[in-house]
Each structure stands twice: as structure tokens, then as C-alpha cells.
Amino acid sequence: MTTPTPTTNDGPAVSLVKLHSCSTQEELEVRIAKDLAQLMPDASLALCLNREDAASMEARVVIGERAPIAVGQDADPSVWSLPDAQRLPIRFESNQLGQLWLDPEPREEVVAELRQVLTHLGTALVNLALNSEARQATDEYCADRKSTRLNSSHQ
């Protein structure tokens, strides 16, 4: 079984763990693009994530000449005619967050590695969303406390 080529000399496990250290979705997308390109250097692929309405997806990472979609475009499955085996889900628990579309179909051992990478990606995406919500709630709380202190000092 082959292992994902790391983006550093630290090894594949460290490369996967580093997905969780990204502080923005853009940083995460750059890191996952490097990892996917190294894992499947001759493939064309599109990493498509659900939009907030979950009714549609958007292409967030696109690699390769055979991908008929560009970053930022709607990712309607009809755009790229691929069998189900070439559309891997990105999940967190029972929630599907998106899909990875691949051409050509990867070998079985690569699919196992891709699933591991996509599991870490799903977790990292959810952690980014939770961290963003926590920062927003903290900012709102601090602004509210400051406003309350200012109002009470003017009375």
C-alpha cells in the first residue's frame, strides 16, 4: 500500500494532521490541493464543497487538464460525467460536506488513502466552522459587555 506523499519531510501522518492546523478555509484548500496532487500526480480532480444551502456544490480546488470545471463554479455532477466510483464523499459523521471528483479512477489502495485524507479534510472543515462561530460569539459577547459598561458609566 502506498502512502500519501507529504508536503514536508515529516511523513504522511504529519501531513494529514497539518490539515487541522489551518486557520482559514483558503489555507486548508491550498494544503489539500498539494496533498492530493502528490497522492495522484497524473489525475484531474475537483474538490467540490456544499454551499450553505446544501442544495448545490461549488468547486473549491481544481487540478488537471481533464477537469471541465473551474474554481468557484457551480459543481453540478452533470458537468463532469464520471461513474460513482470516481466521486468520493467528503463527510463528517453522517453529514456529507461535498465530494472529490477524480479522473482516472484511482487504484484500490489509493482510494483507501483518499478516504483517509477526506476524513481528515471533513473534520478540519467542521473545526474551522466551529472556530469561526466561537470567535463570532466571543466578539459579540465582548461588544455587548463593553456596551453595557459604557451605558452604566453614563448613568
Side-chain angles (χ1 to χ4, degrees):
M1 181 165 137
T2 60
T3 56
T5 305
T7 55
T8 67
N9 293 328
D10 297 326
V14 171
S15 184
L16 290 176
V17 169
K18 285 186 175 184
L19 292 175
H20 303 282
S21 68
C22 296
S23 58
T24 66
Q25 184 167 334
E26 292 76 20
E27 183 184 351
L28 178 61
E29 289 167 358
V30 168
R31 183 171 301 279
I32 195 68
K34 288 177 185 176
D35 288 350
L36 291 171
Q38 289 179 345
L39 182 59
M40 298 190 61
D42 298 323
S44 290
L45 58 88
L47 181 85
C48 305
L49 298 178
N50 291 353
R51 295 183 188 232
E52 286 195 31
D53 64 7
S56 62
M57 292 188 295
E58 176 183 358
R60 300 295 300 184
V61 172
V62 177
I63 299 172
E65 298 172 1
R66 293 182 306 277
I69 191 169
V71 171
Q73 284 186 322
D74 283 343
D76 186 304
S78 66
V79 170
W80 197 354
S81 180
L82 294 170
D84 288 343
Q86 290 171 242
R87 296 182 192 275
L88 302 178
I90 302 165
R91 290 192 172 107
F92 180 77
E93 296 179 349
S94 63
N95 302 302
Q96 183 157 325
L97 307 175
Q99 294 180 343
L100 177 64
W101 300 349
L102 308 155
D103 185 40
E105 183 174 350
R107 296 182 324 271
E108 197 172 307
E109 62 272 10
V110 174
V111 170
E113 293 173 47
L114 286 168
R115 290 188 191 285
Q116 183 180 20
V117 169
L118 296 178
T119 297
H120 281 270
L121 174 62
T123 303
L125 286 166
V126 169
N127 285 337
L128 281 174
L130 291 173
N131 289 340
S132 176
E133 290 173 9
R135 275 192 302 276
Q136 182 178 352
T138 300
D139 290 346
E140 289 171 5
Y141 174 79
C142 291
D144 203 32
R145 296 281 298 161
K146 183 177 180 181
S147 174
T148 301
R149 281 194 306 261
L150 287 174
N151 288 339
S152 64
S153 67
H154 290 292
Q155 291 179 355

